[in-house]
Structure formats: structure tokens, C-alpha cells
Amino acid sequence: MLLQVLENWLSGCFAFVKWYDSRSSVFDIRFGVRQGSVLSPYLFSVYIDDVGKLCDFQNGSFVLLYADDILLITSSVSELQSLVTACEELLLGLDMSLNVGKSSCIRIGPRYDKCCTNITTSNGRQLEWVNELRYLGIFIVSACGFLVSLDHAKRSFFRAANGIFGKVGRIASEEVLIQLLLLRQFVGRQQVALHRQY
């Protein structure tokens, strides 16, 4: 009964593309889950669950999944190549593919600044080695130990705070202005404390 409900809910989906006053013809959506639905993340997790099973804890290989964002962690470059190959094969079996344009590699540890062998996909494309990468909004930096860069978050915060300050600066009371300035100062101190901690 539940399977019939899911099948009925996901079948018969149609869409069209609207751009200004123009509209495309209606087309049938034959695969995928509805974006914004409460059930869609669970269905996608079940669909992609086998990728998470590629972990090999004894060899130090880990796979972190959050929706369609995958983070592969290994202790060596050769193990990373093996894990990328296995992950790519599994994704191809699920009618999905690795987006090389959005994928990159980073090295963390005592030899973080040494050159590495390129990681190659099944179609011969190479994953780029970078000094900083973004995963779920967090910027991880290539360093001797695990290091997170808060520069992007700090810039975004100050841009928003300055925008608010610019709008209310002339009409706000002194108490509001003091609270905004104290908040900016507090965030600046927190950034320094987090850099020292890592």
C-alpha cells in the first residue's frame, strides 16, 4: 500500500519552463524527487545509501554524505584514487555522475604542501588539487592540521551588518547603534579565538 502511494505520488509529474512571458511546452518528468518536498531527502538518502557503505574504517577511508554533497577522506592519495573510482562506478550504476567541475582535492597533514599525483576519473578528467575547498558552507584549508577559514563568513557578516547600519544609522537610537557596534566587535573577537583554537 505504501509503495503504491509513493508510486502514485511520484508518477505523473509534469513541468514547463517559464521565462518572462514565454513558456515552453509541457514535458513529463520521469525520474528524480520533488524539490522542496519533506519526503524527498529521505528517498534520496535511501537511493544513494550504497555510496556511504564504501567506508573502510580499518584503512582509514571515510565517506560523508549530506544530500548530494559527498566528502571522501583517506589516509593516502592512492586510497583516494581507489575510493573515487569505486564511488564513480556506484554512481554510474545509479544513473548519476561525478561533477568534475565542482569536485576538488585537498591535502591535510605534515606533507600538505607537497605535490600529489592527480586523481583521474573514468573518462580521463583530473580532479584539481586546491588550497581551500568549501563543504556545506565551511571552508577547509590545506594545512598541517585541520584548519577552517572563517574569512568568507566574516565578510558576509560584516557586509550584512554594514548594510543594516547604513539603512538605520541615521534614524536608529543610540542604544541600537551601540548594540550593532558591540555585535561587530564581538564577532571580530570570536574569529580570532577560533583561529587560535585550530
Side-chain angles (χ1 to χ4, degrees):
M1 178 69 176
L2 179 63
L3 187 58
Q4 289 175 335
V5 169
L6 289 174
E7 187 177 340
N8 186 38
W9 180 59
L10 293 171
S11 63
C13 293
F14 299 94
F16 64 87
V17 178
K18 183 179 179 186
W19 190 56
Y20 292 106
D21 294 331
S22 301
R23 207 173 95 168
S24 72
S25 57
V26 176
F27 55 91
D28 186 21
I29 299 175
R30 296 192 176 124
F31 55 87
V33 292
R34 293 181 181 187
Q35 189 169 356
S37 166
V38 175
L39 194 56
S40 295
Y42 296 108
L43 293 174
F44 186 78
S45 294
V46 169
Y47 187 70
I48 203 167
D49 186 51
D50 288 340
V51 175
K53 295 177 183 174
L54 293 174
C55 292
D56 186 1
F57 300 115
Q58 293 174 343
N59 289 333
S61 297
F62 303 92
V63 178
L64 301 176
L65 293 168
Y66 184 83
D68 62 343
D69 289 328
I70 302 172
L71 181 65
L72 306 176
I73 302 171
T74 63
S75 56
S76 71
V77 177
S78 60
E79 286 179 26
L80 180 60
Q81 178 65 65
S82 300
L83 193 57
V84 166
T85 303
C87 185
E88 195 175 17
E89 287 174 5
L90 209 144
L91 288 174
L92 287 173
L94 295 172
D95 198 24
M96 298 175 77
S97 62
L98 183 68
N99 187 342
V100 178
K102 290 185 175 180
S103 302
S104 56
C105 303
I106 192 168
R107 192 168 190 182
I108 298 171
R111 298 177 43 168
Y112 74 95
D113 54 348
K114 304 294 184 221
C115 289
C116 296
T117 304
N118 289 324
I119 304 297
T120 310
T121 62
S122 60
N123 59 1
R125 296 183 67 188
Q126 294 180 347
L127 301 181
E128 182 183 4
W129 286 93
V130 295
N131 293 323
E132 182 180 86
L133 65 81
R134 181 180 178 184
Y135 182 68
L136 301 178
I138 298 170
F139 288 84
I140 303 169
V141 179
S142 179
C144 196
F146 184 78
L147 182 64
V148 175
S149 172
L150 301 172
D151 293 338
H152 300 278
K154 190 175 177 181
R155 277 196 296 268
S156 295
F157 172 80
F158 284 121
R159 192 178 309 122
N162 288 336
I164 293 169
F165 188 69
K167 296 286 184 193
V168 300
R170 295 184 184 148
I171 57 172
S173 67
E174 289 83 12
E175 293 86 13
V176 171
L177 294 177
I178 290 171
Q179 289 297 322
L180 277 172
L181 292 172
L182 289 175
L183 181 63
R184 286 181 61 187
Q185 190 176 18
F186 173 76
V187 169
R189 275 197 230 120
Q190 293 299 93
Q191 300 288 340
V192 172
L194 282 169
H195 266 295
R196 287 181 185 152
Q197 184 179 0
Y198 287 109

